[in-house]
Amino acid sequence: MTEPRPEPLNARAGTAPKNVGADEVRRGTIAALTAYMLWGFLPILFRLLDQAGSVLIVAERSIWSLVFLAFVLFAMRGFRDVVDLLADWRRMRVVALSSLLLIGNWLLFVWAVETGQLLEISFGYFINPLVNVAIGMILLGERQNRLQSLAIGIATIAILVQAAGLGNIPFVALGLALTFGFYGFIRKTVQAGPATGLFAETLVAAPLALGYVIYDLSANGLGVHSDPGLLFVLMLTGPATAVPLLCFAYGVRRLRLTTIGMFQYLAPSIQFLVAILLFGEHLNSTRLFSFALIWVSLMVFSYDSFRRHRARLV
């Protein structure tokens, strides 16, 4: 779930755009569910690349994402938007900052998968919506109602309980939530489509990514690149990054904001199950209690969103 989230159309009203028929809503639902399911199972792909190392994986992911998106933009005739973005120095400065946050998020995500901390990844993306609310409060002066404040309070307790269960601060969870939260906050200031924006961000990171790949090849030889299977999986990190983004962008323009809001919990839920059932991570009673608290917090938060949406329709 480390991809740009474009602002839903007509988000203030919490509704899908007008004149969206039932077939479009159905296709939008399938697209959004596909995006969140792919993000949920993404750690399995990176676990297959353990021997490559997190830095090399992220470098390759940046390069192959750039290549894949170039084909997508060519097919969509979207390079004019890219040229316009690259020519706008003010927007590109923001893109450079968002690229830095995105790459940092990717590095932390892949490293956490490699070191068996998928439960912390799941926890981080569960608290991400509440981190977004907190960013709005601190940076934009947004006021929250009682239910939203209660949800944030319960989430804070959950983080403290998680810290007690780990024996230290859950740096991975907080790092993922904060980097992605600030990434989304900054990314929204750049008027660019999801494919265009991600292409520009990976283009900014490409020189460093390519430089590291060349360094790794010179220092360690072909390494994982000598294995056709691993090389293919490395190449898959490109479409695995871009396809969920494009599915999400398609779905979010055809669905209500409240529907998308409920779907966003699917990815960390899948990650939670993958961590326990496939990766064999241990979930002690303290950490389970912290997850229970965060689920309660999200229920309160979702109920408030649903309640306010219904009130707007009356």
Side-chain angles (χ1 to χ4, degrees):
M1 231 155 105
T2 55
E3 276 61 85
R5 303 287 206 270
E7 185 72 15
L9 295 185
N10 204 19
R12 287 176 184 258
T15 59
K18 294 180 179 180
N19 302 322
V20 174
D23 287 343
E24 284 290 288
V25 171
R26 179 177 56 82
R27 286 194 288 267
T29 300
I30 293 172
L33 287 173
T34 299
Y36 282 111
M37 290 184 68
L38 289 173
W39 279 324
F41 287 110
L42 190 60
I44 297 176
L45 180 68
F46 294 128
R47 180 59 69 92
L48 296 174
L49 294 168
D50 273 354
Q51 58 186 290
S54 56
V55 179
L56 180 61
I57 292 173
V58 171
E60 295 270 1
R61 183 184 187 184
S62 302
I63 293 170
W64 291 115
S65 295
L66 185 68
V67 172
F68 181 81
L69 285 165
F71 282 107
V72 170
L73 288 169
F74 178 78
M76 296 171 57
R77 298 180 180 179
F79 272 109
R80 175 172 293 181
D81 293 335
V82 173
V83 172
D84 290 341
L85 178 58
L86 295 177
D88 190 332
W89 175 240
R90 290 186 178 181
R91 285 199 293 168
M92 282 304 299
R93 285 187 298 180
V94 179
V95 167
L97 180 57
S98 66
S99 177
L100 179 64
L101 287 168
L102 183 63
I103 297 302
N105 183 275
W106 285 0
L107 278 170
L108 186 56
F109 184 95
V110 175
W111 176 80
V113 171
E114 285 184 351
T115 54
Q117 300 184 73
L118 185 53
L119 281 174
E120 268 214 65
I121 292 176
S122 173
F123 190 79
Y125 286 116
F126 271 126
I127 66 175
N128 181 248
L130 302 172
V131 167
N132 291 336
V133 173
I135 290 174
M137 292 173 59
I138 296 171
L139 297 183
L140 301 177
E142 296 177 352
R143 291 189 175 185
Q144 309 306 322
N145 59 34
R146 291 182 180 179
L147 285 178
Q148 291 172 328
S149 298
L150 175 62
I152 294 173
I154 296 173
T156 302
I157 296 173
I159 293 171
L160 295 175
V161 171
Q162 181 88 185
L166 292 171
N168 55 51
I169 297 173
F171 290 109
V172 170
L174 290 174
L176 288 171
L178 289 171
T179 53
F180 192 71
F182 280 105
Y183 168 78
F185 173 76
I186 292 171
R187 180 68 171 77
K188 285 182 179 181
T189 66
V190 181
Q191 299 299 317
T196 302
L198 185 59
F199 181 87
E201 287 163 345
T202 51
L203 185 64
V204 168
L208 287 176
L210 184 61
Y212 185 84
V213 171
I214 294 173
Y215 163 77
D216 185 79
L217 288 171
S218 62
N220 304 312
L222 289 177
V224 294
H225 299 90
S226 63
D227 185 326
L230 288 178
L231 179 59
F232 177 70
V233 177
L234 279 173
M235 293 173 65
L236 276 182
T237 59
T241 297
V243 169
L245 165 72
L246 298 175
C247 287
F248 179 86
Y250 180 89
V252 81
R253 286 167 171 78
R254 291 161 177 81
L255 298 175
R256 293 179 175 181
L257 184 58
T258 49
T259 303
I260 290 293
M262 295 306 299
F263 284 172
Q264 69 182 324
Y265 306 128
L266 179 60
S269 297
I270 293 173
Q271 293 165 357
F272 178 83
L273 294 174
V274 168
I276 297 172
L277 300 178
L278 293 184
F279 292 178
E281 292 189 27
H282 178 60
L283 182 67
N284 59 33
S285 57
T286 304
R287 296 190 74 181
L288 179 59
F289 180 57
S290 73
F291 272 98
L293 283 175
I294 204 66
W295 291 327
V296 170
S297 173
L298 292 173
M299 287 173 63
V300 172
F301 184 76
S302 298
Y303 168 74
D304 177 70
S305 297
F306 178 76
R307 180 179 62 86
R308 287 185 290 114
H309 168 65
R310 288 291 298 271
R312 282 194 293 263
L313 295 180
V314 175

